[in-house]
Amino acid sequence: MTGLQIVYVRCEYRDNPIGLDTRKPRFSWLLSSDSRHALQSAYRIQAADRADFSETTLLIWDTQKLESDRSVLIAYEGEPLKARSRYYYRVKVWDQEGHESDWSEIAFWEMGLLGLDDWTADWITPDASVIDPYADAVFLMRKDFTVREAVRNARLYVTSLGLYELELNGLRVGNAEYTPGWTSYKYRLQVQTYDVAGLLCEGNGNAIGASLANGWYKGYLGWKQQRNLYGDTRALLLQLYIDYEDGTTEVIRTDGSWKSNTGPIRLSELYHGETYDARMEQFDWSCHGLDDTKWAAVSLVSHTKDKLIMQESELVRITQRIKPVSVWKTPAGETVLDMGQNMVGRLHFRVEAPAGTQITLQHVEVLDQAGNIYSGNLRTAKQTVQYTCKGGGEESYEPHFSFQGFRYVKLEGWPGEPSLDAFAGHVIHTDMEPTGTFECSHPLLNQLQSNIVWGQRGNFLDVPTDCPQRDERLGWTGDAQVFIRTAAFNFGVAPFFTKWLRDLKADQREDGSVPFVIPHVLGETDYGSAAWGDAAVVCPWTVYLCYGDKQVLEEQYDSMKAWVDYVRSEGEDPYLWNNGFHFGDWLGLDAKEGSYIGATPKDLIATCFFAYSTSLLVKAAKVLGYSEDAERYGHVYEQIVGAFANEFITPSGRLAAHTQTAYVLPLIFGLVDAPVKERLARTLVDYVEEQDGHLTTGFVGTPYLSHALTDHGYHDLAVRLVQQEDYPSWLYAIHQGATTIWEHWDGIKPDGSFWSDRMNSYNHYAYGSIGDWLYRAVAGLDMDETEPAYKRILFRPRPDSGLDYAKASYQSVYGKIRSEWYKTGGGLATYEFEVPPNTTATALLRGLKLEAVRVNGELVSEAAGVIEAGEQEEMLQLRLGSGSYRISQLHTSDAEWD
Ligand code: RAM
């Protein structure tokens, strides 16, 4: 078979998703080809409500052969879709020579419950006699039921106010954690769907049981020890559909017939940990026939069902189990486990001890100067698990409704010498698809990449949080905004950010202002800082760029525009943002003693972001075909650029502020033209040199500093900066033992003392935003934004990065992209690229000459897949079609590195 073939198809980024509520699910497929420069010229999608696709199958959608090179996110346009129905689809494509592929494998998607009419269950909560005496405990609710006969299919739809876990006939339902996840509950509450056919007992007694904890809904949230932020009553809502072989359907639902009780979990809070008394376990509480006469009734709760939505992002799951690396006694005489990695999740353990033995685990991130555990930076978060053994053999446990950010665990009450084998760290986060790798010849940079990835894992737990350990763990908009591009290299984050952006839009104030954190749980006035609120624009644009997802742009467009309009209405001058509260260059090292806010003037930062967001809004308007807006905001943008120059730049090209960040922003957001640009870049270099090649930037300047240097001809300095090993630098933290990214450059000082107790997270991804520079500027894996989602790839490798080799790979929506280079001696390098089908690439190779390179061993002019070749501005430019390429240099080149 020649030409293109379909490797797999996906619906809404997923394989065979169940429980969708979008009426227009979108289809994507991945292509393979045995020839180079393969492009799709047409596709055909068919959908039906049965799987056989025979001649007689009635199709609900058939695009017929459609001339198009699109293979990503094509929206369904067929017959209306029904709740709970499963639909099947298949795809075929044609290549540019007109060869037709086989049909793809048949895949399916399944709809969930689609609206208020589908909900017949009642919200239930335990009887007051259960709640009142044990308000902190996790509640249990249960019901027996009968499964009449053979089951064809069974689906469980469930959500809760608070967090739930479910059991059917003694077995855990699904493997999702912290369900129903965290959304802006006032507006949106997710429902999960489970296939439970395998858990039911045909023709027999069955039982279902739910545990219900406080979670984000009513537990402690934020540093002011607030609780009940969304409501004060936990509740469960569930519908179990049993489709029998005989064609009938029975629905088990939450209603007044359920029973309630407390169980072994006596306390569970996200920040504080869990208290568990195994002696109170009733092992068969979710099995049929339990004597529940001592269980109390339940009460119906009147709570709206019109905010229910089906699960949007990937579920949160345990994605890895790691073993501790050591256990020892600290100078203070405490027994401490070292996980070898600052991680987020829970510690699972096995133990054998007499009934009543109490074990306490306290989780911390770092050790102090003396080598004892340090919990000061957790503030009020206890991160403590208390377990009381039931005795009578080996028992095992891990918390259910609490997660910890930790590397070290202090053990108290452990019977005898703890063996490492008894423990496993369960790493938990949104189960995003890993998509990127970066590696180079510098071990500390590889550790940095690892720290960035761990920082992302730990803080992408349903919501992009600032940190996972102290009494905060909130969806800080600024942090998410600076990190999203890096995040989108490491993992597939489109569904994750789509969900969060919908919350942002829901929580956005009427005047367009954006809360500091999403979901919004802070105060009435906690809105609107520059670079934080800009998440409303930067994040949807980045999702569009990285995944070609226009729907996100469409959905968020009003919100993006409202933010820009808000900023415009704020400033005392309509084109400068020179008032209001701002976090400034948060934690910049040039801050005044005792201040968190760096020295860069806030109005300069705010105006730069005003310009940046306006420019992105213009781009979004163009993509969506809103030409009037594009023109209008294009004009606004010009005015901001003018006002900025007027206010901050002297006629000879000096800037009215003297910090690294002040120079970085106008350069990176394109607010200045040559020759001012060159002058600013040179001054930026001076400022970095004044610090002996170190940074002074905070949250706002750091993400762009290295790009500003590289893009303006100072890559060598950017390289020096990232390879610094003394304070302040990324690698300094690694020398201090960091396995995640720190919030502060000086989280631990050279003498081992701490910056402060007050705000000192060791797992804060903001400075991990250097990651996208490693992928793009060092390994050279980038995109040409004119064709987003890497439809047109840009390879810009930089062997002048002070390394022997660098390589990056990225699983794009079109398939795997790879960019690698390695030095081969004598100032020469070899490059390798992989370009997936239905994309093309431009490779820009500095200092290479056409006649002095070979592509896959051939002259450039003869190499298959090379569409165009030329030399421009000391660059060899190659346009490549899909395929793998190895580009080697002959010994006549005048390359610049050694
Ligand atoms: C801190 C958060 C976050 C930052 C804000 C301004 O509390 O940890 O990282 O964005 O402050």
Side-chain angles (χ1 to χ4, degrees):
M1 185 60 65
T2 57
L4 291 171
Q5 291 299 334
I6 296 174
V7 182
Y8 61 69
V9 291
R10 281 191 174 168
C11 175
E12 288 298 325
Y13 296 96
R14 286 187 264 165
D15 299 326
N16 301 330
I18 61 172
L20 297 186
D21 59 4
T22 167
R23 309 309 203 269
K24 290 191 170 209
R26 297 165 299 166
F27 307 104
S28 308
W29 49 91
L30 202 88
L31 299 165
S32 71
S33 171
D34 51 12
S35 55
R36 283 175 200 280
H37 191 25
L39 293 171
Q40 175 190 303
S41 64
Y43 69 81
R44 181 174 185 180
I45 309 174
Q46 289 185 332
D49 55 10
R50 38 193 273 208
D52 63 358
F53 286 94
S54 67
E55 298 276 297
T56 57
T57 305
L58 266 184
L59 297 175
I60 55 164
W61 190 40
D62 186 349
T63 62
Q64 300 297 341
K65 180 177 175 183
L66 219 121
E67 307 283 321
S68 167
D69 67 345
R70 285 188 58 199
S71 53
V72 171
L73 296 171
I74 293 161
Y76 175 78
E77 300 277 358
E79 309 272 313
L81 302 171
K82 293 197 229 74
R84 298 216 316 112
S85 296
R86 180 181 283 199
Y87 300 99
Y88 299 84
Y89 69 104
R90 61 178 189 173
V91 180
K92 69 161 58 180
V93 297
W94 286 259
D95 69 10
Q96 71 270 44
E97 263 95 55
H99 295 129
E100 182 176 341
S101 77
D102 297 332
W103 282 108
S104 67
E105 277 186 27
I106 295 166
F108 67 84
W109 81 94
E110 191 183 292
M111 303 302 285
L113 301 185
L114 296 183
L116 260 188
D117 292 349
D118 294 328
W119 285 101
T120 51
D122 294 312
W123 285 106
I124 57 170
T125 199
D127 186 70
S129 62
V130 172
I131 300 177
D132 292 346
Y134 308 108
D136 288 332
V138 168
F139 304 136
L140 304 179
M141 293 194 276
R142 71 179 305 283
K143 182 186 168 65
D144 286 328
F145 62 97
T146 309
V147 174
R148 270 197 276 114
E149 52 168 300
V151 171
R152 189 166 47 85
N153 203 3
R155 287 287 179 278
L156 189 55
Y157 303 96
V158 56
T159 189
S160 57
L161 307 177
L163 299 176
Y164 75 83
E165 258 181 38
L166 282 181
E167 289 185 13
L168 250 179
N169 297 327
L171 294 172
R172 173 87 185 265
V173 173
N175 56 7
E177 304 291 343
Y178 312 108
T179 44
W182 190 12
T183 45
S184 300
Y185 294 135
K186 233 168 99 185
Y187 310 101
R188 294 156 33 79
L189 176 60
Q190 293 189 123
V191 172
Q192 285 74 44
T193 306
Y194 302 96
D195 178 350
V196 291
L199 295 177
L200 295 175
C201 300
E202 280 168 28
N204 257 321
N206 285 254
I208 185 163
S211 318
L212 203 55
N214 286 338
W216 294 285
Y217 186 82
K218 81 174 289 282
Y220 289 96
L221 212 49
W223 57 90
K224 294 180 190 151
Q225 273 107 81
Q226 298 182 78
R227 56 198 308 200
N228 299 329
L229 275 163
Y230 295 96
D232 61 7
T233 306
R234 289 176 242 172
L236 180 74
L237 183 76
L238 161 164
Q239 285 176 198
L240 164 59
Y241 289 78
I242 307 172
D243 297 327
Y244 292 113
E245 289 289 3
D246 68 3
T248 58
T249 297
E250 185 172 341
V251 187
I252 310 297
R253 46 177 77 82
T254 43
D255 58 21
S257 68
W258 287 54
K259 292 290 199 77
S260 67
N261 205 345
T262 54
I265 307 179
R266 310 314 294 164
L267 175 148
S268 193
E269 285 288 338
L270 289 166
Y271 295 167
H272 297 318
E274 206 161 279
T275 303
Y276 191 96
D277 188 341
R279 293 170 305 182
M280 302 182 76
E281 282 173 1
Q282 220 172 339
F283 78 96
D284 55 352
W285 72 279
S286 67
C287 297
H288 185 84
L290 173 92
D291 174 12
D292 61 9
T293 44
K294 291 215 178 86
W295 285 51
V298 296
S299 319
L300 303 190
V301 177
S302 114
H303 186 85
T304 181
K305 287 173 222 158
D306 65 4
K307 309 293 180 222
L308 300 179
I309 49 169
M310 302 306 291
Q311 174 77 23
E312 293 180 336
S313 172
E314 292 90 353
L315 293 160
V316 172
R317 295 195 176 95
I318 297 173
T319 62
Q320 193 184 353
R321 291 170 168 84
I322 62 173
K323 285 274 161 209
V325 293
S326 60
V327 57
W328 82 105
K329 270 211 167 33
T330 62
E334 296 169 335
T335 304
V336 173
L337 277 181
D338 178 2
M339 304 309 295
Q341 170 65 49
N342 195 19
M343 59 163 278
V344 176
R346 317 185 289 229
L347 188 70
H348 178 277
F349 63 82
R350 290 179 291 121
V351 67
E352 200 171 333
T357 309
Q358 267 217 15
I359 295 167
T360 305
L361 314 174
Q362 190 190 354
H363 304 69
V364 302
E365 292 189 294
V366 293
L367 303 177
D368 67 15
Q369 265 168 311
N372 295 313
I373 63 157
Y374 168 67
S375 61
N377 70 325
L378 305 176
R379 303 194 305 215
T380 65
K382 296 198 182 79
Q383 294 220 111
T384 298
V385 167
Q386 276 187 350
Y387 181 84
T388 307
C389 298
K390 61 183 173 222
E394 187 176 277
E395 47 200 290
S396 67
Y397 170 76
E398 72 184 291
H400 297 251
F401 300 108
S402 176
F403 65 86
Q404 285 74 44
F406 65 105
R407 171 169 172 173
Y408 302 99
V409 185
K410 179 174 105 182
L411 298 179
E412 277 175 309
W414 192 267
E417 283 301 306
S419 127
L420 294 180
D421 267 357
F423 303 93
H426 287 183
V427 178
I428 304 180
H429 52 87
T430 295
D431 198 0
M432 313 162 278
E433 181 186 3
T435 48
T437 61
F438 170 86
E439 191 200 304
C440 68
S441 55
H442 193 317
L444 293 178
L445 288 182
N446 293 338
Q447 183 64 43
L448 173 61
Q449 167 66 13
S450 165
N451 292 9
I452 296 169
V453 169
W454 275 97
Q456 180 168 357
R457 297 173 80 189
N459 284 297
F460 276 42
L461 201 155
D462 214 39
V463 160
T465 56
D466 57 332
C467 60
Q469 74 296 81
R470 68 180 178 223
D471 52 3
E472 193 153 355
R473 315 185 191 188
L474 302 177
W476 279 94
T477 46
D479 308 42
Q481 180 269 112
V482 299
F483 188 63
I484 184 171
R485 190 72 191 261
T486 299
F489 270 111
N490 294 328
F491 291 92
V493 295
F496 177 83
F497 274 104
T498 301
K499 162 182 173 282
W500 185 72
L501 284 166
R502 288 175 180 163
D503 290 317
L504 184 151
K505 186 173 170 168
D507 277 336
Q508 193 167 8
R509 226 165 46 181
E510 213 145 272
D511 65 1
S513 187
V514 175
F516 296 156
V517 301
I518 301 292
H520 172 52
V521 289
L522 299 181
E524 283 296 303
T525 55
D526 293 331
Y527 283 82
S529 166
W532 271 252
D534 291 281
V537 178
V538 175
C539 295
W541 178 253
T542 307
V543 173
Y544 167 70
L545 263 194
C546 296
Y547 304 98
D549 193 327
K550 256 195 207 177
Q551 182 183 294
V552 171
L553 274 192
E554 252 154 34
E555 280 184 18
Q556 299 299 130
Y557 186 76
D558 290 347
S559 153
M560 298 166 77
K561 191 165 145 176
W563 168 253
V564 169
D565 287 343
Y566 165 75
V567 173
R568 218 178 136 197
S569 69
E570 271 293 278
E572 284 149 17
D573 173 315
Y575 302 109
L576 290 175
W577 193 5
N578 52 9
N579 56 1
F581 171 82
H582 297 284
F583 291 110
D585 189 18
W586 187 246
L587 308 187
L589 291 174
D590 44 18
K592 283 204 198 94
E593 187 68 35
S595 168
Y596 289 137
I597 300 185
T600 309
K602 291 185 194 171
D603 55 348
L604 183 145
I605 294 176
T607 304
C608 284
F609 271 89
F610 181 19
Y612 181 44
S613 277
T614 307
S615 73
L616 296 184
L617 182 66
V618 171
K619 288 186 187 180
K622 286 187 183 152
V623 169
L624 298 173
Y626 305 150
S627 47
E628 253 172 57
D629 272 9
E631 202 176 310
R632 193 149 68 89
Y633 288 96
H635 177 71
V636 173
Y637 176 74
E638 296 303 326
Q639 301 292 316
I640 305 169
V641 173
F644 178 83
N646 231 353
E647 181 79 7
F648 297 107
I649 306 176
T650 68
S652 62
R654 285 167 183 272
L655 203 63
H658 310 289
T659 65
Q660 293 178 2
T661 295
Y663 279 76
V664 165
L665 297 183
L667 281 174
I668 209 79
F669 295 157
L671 292 179
V672 284
D673 291 325
V676 174
K677 200 153 85 172
E678 279 81 54
R679 180 143 190 202
L680 295 192
R682 271 200 318 276
T683 311
L684 174 61
V685 169
D686 290 345
Y687 286 176
V688 177
E689 290 292 4
E690 271 169 25
Q691 304 295 322
D692 193 20
H694 292 80
L695 47 74
T696 56
T697 49
F699 275 34
V700 164
T702 304
Y704 312 106
L705 172 58
S706 314
H707 282 297
L709 293 170
T710 295
D711 292 356
H712 294 89
Y714 301 99
H715 185 66
D716 49 344
L717 185 55
V719 166
R720 217 172 109 210
L721 190 81
V722 79
Q723 296 190 9
Q724 295 293 5
E725 298 189 27
D726 56 346
Y727 172 80
S729 66
W730 287 272
L731 304 188
Y732 163 76
I734 292 172
H735 277 301
Q736 295 290 320
T739 56
T740 38
I741 301 292
W742 293 353
E743 179 175 24
H744 293 262
W745 296 115
D746 55 353
I748 299 176
K749 298 190 172 181
D751 68 359
S753 65
F754 299 116
W755 177 82
S756 157
D757 269 0
R758 265 177 305 156
M759 209 185 66
N760 199 2
S761 153
Y762 295 99
N763 196 353
H764 229 77
Y765 54 59
Y767 293 151
S769 52
I770 185 70
D772 94 293
W773 179 83
L774 295 174
Y775 278 98
R776 292 160 76 188
V778 175
L781 197 163
D782 206 348
M783 78 166 89
D784 181 333
E785 295 191 3
T786 58
E787 293 183 53
Y790 302 86
K791 180 92 170 92
R792 192 191 271 242
I793 299 156
L794 193 59
F795 291 122
R796 234 181 332 196
R798 304 284 311 225
D800 54 340
S801 295
L803 305 166
D804 296 331
Y805 74 87
K807 46 181 171 178
S809 72
Y810 174 68
Q811 183 67 26
S812 75
V813 287
Y814 293 97
K816 188 174 175 188
I817 304 170
R818 197 163 54 87
S819 178
E820 302 188 11
W821 56 261
Y822 45 93
K823 290 183 180 161
T824 48
L828 304 178
T830 293
Y831 304 82
E832 288 188 19
F833 303 124
E834 199 171 318
V835 182
N838 209 21
T839 68
T840 60
T842 306
L844 300 178
L845 305 171
R846 284 160 53 85
L848 267 62
K849 296 265 180 282
L850 251 186
E851 70 280 4
V853 302
R854 293 291 176 268
V855 177
N856 294 332
E858 317 242 13
L859 290 171
V860 176
S861 54
E862 286 162 18
V866 179
I867 308 166
E868 245 174 70
E871 283 172 24
Q872 225 181 350
E873 293 170 19
E874 294 175 34
M875 294 265 196
L876 174 62
Q877 286 201 19
L878 301 176
R879 284 266 293 134
L880 304 171
S882 65
S884 300
Y885 299 89
R886 187 161 186 278
I887 298 168
S888 43
Q889 283 181 272
L890 303 182
H891 286 263
T892 51
S893 163
D894 52 357
E896 301 162 21
W897 54 86
D898 257 315

